[in-house]
Amino acid sequence: MSFVQDNWWLFVIAVVSGLGILWPSVAKKMSGIPQMGVAEAVTLINRREPLVLDVRAQGEFAAGHIAGARLIPVGELKTRLAEIEKFKDKPVLVTCATGNRSFNAAKILKEAGFKEVSNLQGGLGAWQQAGMPVEK
């Protein structure tokens, strides 16, 4: 205990660092946007035929994407919502390279009234790591 008292600033740095590492995961869980793993995503695709929305840049999409995915880069999503309006009441699986841009895109969709929006946890990287196919 005397170590902590003598080096309280180290303890504070450790706590702040730990919170900084954990905060993104906690924020995603509290957002109300479901984080879907690859196995769950495959089941969703096979059973419910969702809109698979890829929000990466054109070059990333051209290098490889989930079969049947539709490309709308996250920076263009708000202005192109009318293109996917018919999916408001259907499942939408949003993906990017790592799951971060797609999380932000999923929030945009939720705010726009899309009811069944999920984020592919780990993005296309997790998809490929699981051995799932991509098309070019």
Side-chain angles (χ1 to χ4, degrees), residues 5-122:
Q5 290 174 341
D6 293 341
N7 298 290
W8 62 270
W9 54 276
L10 286 175
F11 181 74
V12 170
I13 290 172
V15 169
V16 170
S17 297
L19 290 174
I21 291 169
L22 294 176
W23 180 249
S25 296
V26 171
K28 282 183 179 180
K29 286 184 189 333
M30 293 173 47
S31 71
I33 308 287
Q35 302 298 303
M36 189 169 286
V38 173
E40 293 171 293
V42 169
T43 300
L44 178 69
I45 291 168
N46 289 335
R47 292 187 181 165
R48 302 205 46 218
E49 299 180 12
L51 165 64
V52 178
L53 182 63
D54 194 317
V55 296
R56 297 175 299 153
Q58 174 66 42
E60 292 174 289
F61 185 81
H65 55 272
I66 296 172
R70 182 174 190 156
L71 173 67
I72 300 179
V74 69
E76 300 173 15
L77 185 56
K78 286 183 180 179
T79 60
R80 294 178 60 186
L81 285 171
E83 295 176 31
I84 56 172
E85 186 79 21
K86 67 182 178 184
F87 293 97
K88 270 194 164 179
D89 294 322
K90 297 179 181 176
V92 179
L93 176 63
V94 190
T95 187
C96 67
T98 63
N100 292 322
R101 285 177 285 180
S102 55
F103 176 73
N104 291 328
K107 288 194 310 190
I108 291 169
L109 293 174
K110 275 287 198 184
E111 291 168 3
F114 286 77
K115 293 180 176 55
E116 287 188 67
V117 180
S118 300
N119 181 38
L120 180 59
Q121 189 173 17

